[in-house]
Amino acid sequence: MEATTDDGTGAQMRRSILDDAVAASLHRRRAEADEVFHALRYAEAFAAIEPSDATREAMIQIGSDGTPEVPEFCHLEYAARLGMRPESGFSALVVALDLAHRLPELLALVDTLSMPVWVARKVAFATRELSWEQARGVSVKLQKEWPRLSPSAFLATAKALVLAITAPQRLTDEEQALASRFVWIRQEEHFADVYARVSKADGLFLEAQLNRLATELGRAGDDSSRDVRRSKALGLLSSPARSLQLLQGAVARDHENEAADELPLGLEDEEQRECPSRGLRGHACGQVTTDPELLLPKVELVVHVSEESIKDEAGATVVRTSHCGAQLAQTVKQWLGHTRVTVRPVLDTASIMPTSAYEVPGRMRELMDLRNPTSVFPYSTRISRRLDQDHTKPWSTSGPPGQTRPDNLGPLSRREHRAKTFGGWQVTQSQGVFAWVSPLGYRYERHSDATWFDGTNETSRAEAMLMRILRT
């Protein structure tokens, strides 16, 4: 680091660096604002023209109340050209339309770089359920509040305004809170993050049970920290029989230390011992009568293992998994060492025979999910196992035999499929690689794990066409 000199040269240099940083920040905010206006121009250019009969593309209102209708697939062209997921392109157009037609005062603040785009975007999403008149009123009020509030306080004010308007339509506070319960599990490389919202009572009981199981794990010889044991206890709850065994053992041990004429809570007399669940299938009054191994939850993990990873005893080889990405072979061995494992034959493309039926057979579907784990539309990240397997060359009752085969299938969402059928998108396939041509002539090559934009083919013609539309 340069020391400050008597004439202030070092300080002046640092001020210059900060000035450059401010300039770069302003350039970034200008670019973000310009992107909103480009999205708006794009959407409104398409809103001004009627779709051709050849495409059979419907006009729909993707924005909120008071925004114009646009062709239902126009966001796909926008998203692909900007290298976005289709959902992100859809969101960008919705925000631009909502800001322009419902929150123009906030859009003006964005244009002058007074308000960051991310703040305006959050307000647009927060006000989506309001009518056009209600949103206009909120926009005028928020314009006056912005100069005096921090972004977090401003967003809290926006939320309060929306809540005040929509309160009569909402559930009671308790019903609304309970309706927002959820459990979300995000798989990471070596662990999983668990986020949940439960009722107050469920939270209290869960807290008590985790503490109890953590204590029992410690008594059983687990010397890890209490936080780690609580984490293990939560995992243990996914195997009810094992949890029951541990708790029953604790009750039996505690009972042995009590007086001979005392019984554990709930077993004081014959009437109390009578269980209301008696007679139901699988019920044995709390007794574990099934091998706990058979009660383990089923989780499917597809592991792509090479011959080298099988032979490498050091475990340094990397294997690919379906849900957890790349992992060390040794790590996967540890996972499988604690569970029941079902080994399936390797799916060989040559062993999958074509069929003339429209439906995709199970083994062929499994092969397709492995070959293309996400949608084959440009830049899409939709998981293929939740999508339809679309015929690249449309299936026809009068078509040739063997239309349903791996080199004529690829996963697409319903909207992406309809864009291919009705929206002017064209696609060809070569062994799992999909070449797309958009309605404006842009070309994309979609592989199993990446999308490549081909800027050398018909780009100038496509851009000229888009400019004509924007000038309309």
Side-chain angles (χ1 to χ4, degrees), residues 18 21 26 97 113 158 194 205 223 243 245 261 284 321 385 434:
L18 289 178
L26 291 175
L97 288 169
L113 306 187
V194 180
F205 287 128
D223 59 356
S243 303
Q245 278 187 319
D261 58 346
T321 67
R385 291 181 182 272
F434 295 78

Side-chain angles (χ1 to χ4, degrees), residues 38 47 117 158 167 195 242 252-253 258 275 301 303 308 349 466 470:
H38 289 316
V117 170
Y195 301 86
R242 288 188 168 183
R253 184 199 62 246
E258 295 174 353
C275 178
L301 177 66
V303 183
E308 290 74 17
T349 306
L466 181 57
L470 293 175

